[in-house]
Amino acid sequence: MKKSIGIQSLAMMDAQCSSCALNPLTDSGQLAREGSADATVVLAGNPNVGKTSVFNALTGLRQHTGNWPGKTVLQARGFYPHRDKRIEVVDLPGTYSLSARSPEEEVARDAICFGNPDVTVVVVDATALERNLNLVLQIAEVSDRIVVCVNLLDEARRKHVWVDLKELALELGLPVVGTVALARRGILELKDAIDQIVTGQMSPSPKKPVYSEDVEAAIVGIVPSIQEINHTSLPDRWIALRILEGDDSILGKLEQFYRRDDATMTERAMAS
């Protein structure tokens, strides 16, 4: 049984506490799930969007903390009951994109891209939607199982910013829930949206970004090679984009994820 501590202890967690490592990605690249959990949800978002407040409101401070294995990056997991299910929530480090530039961003990217969570909740700041939606669009290229949580609606209103949640949902092709996490407003609706995806009552169909003609032509050229060897749930198009981007860290992670002796997937795709 893992030790449960309050959120007040988060700030006291020592960065050297590697012995406190909680469930990592498994050997197959999946997010290790607590045995009694019916589903695992990850919280993603830019730094300072109130993501931890959403985590606390969802879990009611019922959480475990430790470091991600091999990294001095804090990991927090918690649970909440809803509609006869026990839902596990993983609070990921803040990240601006899936092109990881730091250990924190690498942890978040790996959990989203390789952890195969049941639902990814992307928390965005209602006062800075344009900047925050970049991460939403990137994650939508990897997974359809997304809920967008527009947090800090009270702060937005103080700044005379009004967010049309229904219109935003139509534009993104994703469920959108508005919250003021510190006041627990919208949290029940967020739990309901997560539950609908977990149970299959709702199947989001996010609108995918369209790039310039040159980039789209390059994607078309690479995808057939990827299709021959991609037997995972990762979209061929997303892998093609990472190869075109020249993201060395993601290419290495792809080969680790595939765990093929010849590890030639990216080499073959790049040579096509």
Side-chain angles (χ1 to χ4, degrees):
M1 180 69 70
K2 300 179 181 70
K3 183 180 179 182
S4 178
I5 61 178
I7 189 63
Q8 294 86 350
S9 300
L10 279 172
M12 301 174 61
M13 291 300 297
D14 189 333
Q16 301 303 314
C17 188
S18 58
S19 62
C20 296
L22 298 181
N23 300 333
L25 298 183
T26 65
D27 290 342
S28 61
Q30 308 291 301
L31 269 172
R33 178 179 297 176
E34 186 82 2
S36 59
D38 295 299
T40 298
V41 175
V42 297
L43 295 185
N46 291 180
N48 304 316
V49 297
K51 186 166 55 62
T52 298
S53 296
V54 174
F55 175 78
N56 292 339
L58 283 171
T59 63
L61 302 184
R62 293 184 291 273
Q63 59 192 261
H64 307 290
T65 59
N67 280 5
W68 288 85
K71 299 180 185 298
T72 56
V73 178
L74 186 67
Q75 175 190 162
R77 287 178 180 246
F79 301 86
Y80 67 85
H82 189 64
R83 298 187 185 277
D84 298 323
K85 299 180 189 63
R86 187 168 187 259
I87 306 298
E88 181 181 32
V89 186
V90 180
D91 187 15
L92 300 178
T95 183
Y96 291 104
S97 78
L98 296 183
S99 299
R101 298 288 187 265
S102 69
E104 291 81 5
E105 291 186 337
E106 186 177 348
V107 163
R109 181 203 61 194
D110 289 354
I112 294 167
C113 297
F114 304 107
N116 196 25
D118 294 287
V119 179
T120 299
V121 174
V122 189
V123 183
V124 299
D125 180 349
T127 68
L129 268 185
E130 184 175 354
R131 182 185 65 202
N132 284 217
L133 288 177
N134 180 50
L135 181 62
V136 176
L137 295 175
Q138 288 190 30
I139 296 175
E141 290 184 316
V142 181
S143 173
D144 294 345
R145 301 169 67 84
I146 299 170
V147 176
V148 179
C149 172
V150 181
N151 194 35
L152 302 175
L153 283 176
D154 55 341
E155 186 68 20
R157 286 169 184 163
R158 278 194 285 271
K159 295 182 178 181
H160 306 289
V161 175
W162 298 90
V163 180
D164 188 332
L165 299 177
K166 291 183 178 179
E167 184 63 27
L168 182 61
L170 288 174
E171 289 293 328
L172 294 173
L174 292 169
V176 174
V177 178
T179 62
V180 180
L182 283 176
R184 297 187 57 80
R185 285 164 46 192
I187 297 302
L188 179 59
E189 290 80 359
L190 179 58
K191 290 180 178 179
D192 284 342
I194 292 169
D195 181 72
Q196 288 176 346
I197 293 179
V198 168
T199 59
Q201 298 175 57
M202 178 166 54
S203 298
S205 183
K207 297 179 181 178
K208 311 293 184 183
V210 177
Y211 299 93
S212 68
E213 289 186 7
D214 290 347
V215 173
E216 292 292 340
I219 293 171
V220 170
I222 293 176
V223 161
S225 297
I226 297 173
Q227 287 175 332
E228 294 179 7
I229 47 182
N230 180 17
H231 304 295
T232 76
S233 60
L234 288 171
D236 300 325
R237 177 183 172 86
W238 181 80
I239 297 174
L241 282 166
R242 300 290 74 77
I243 292 173
L244 289 172
E245 191 180 50
D247 184 340
D248 293 339
S249 65
I250 197 69
L251 296 183
K253 189 62 66 174
L254 281 169
E255 292 178 350
Q256 175 186 336
F257 179 70
Y258 280 83
R259 294 185 182 279
R260 289 169 174 250
D261 291 338
D262 56 4
T264 57
M265 182 189 70
T266 54
E267 294 173 5
R268 291 172 57 184
M270 294 177 75
S272 65

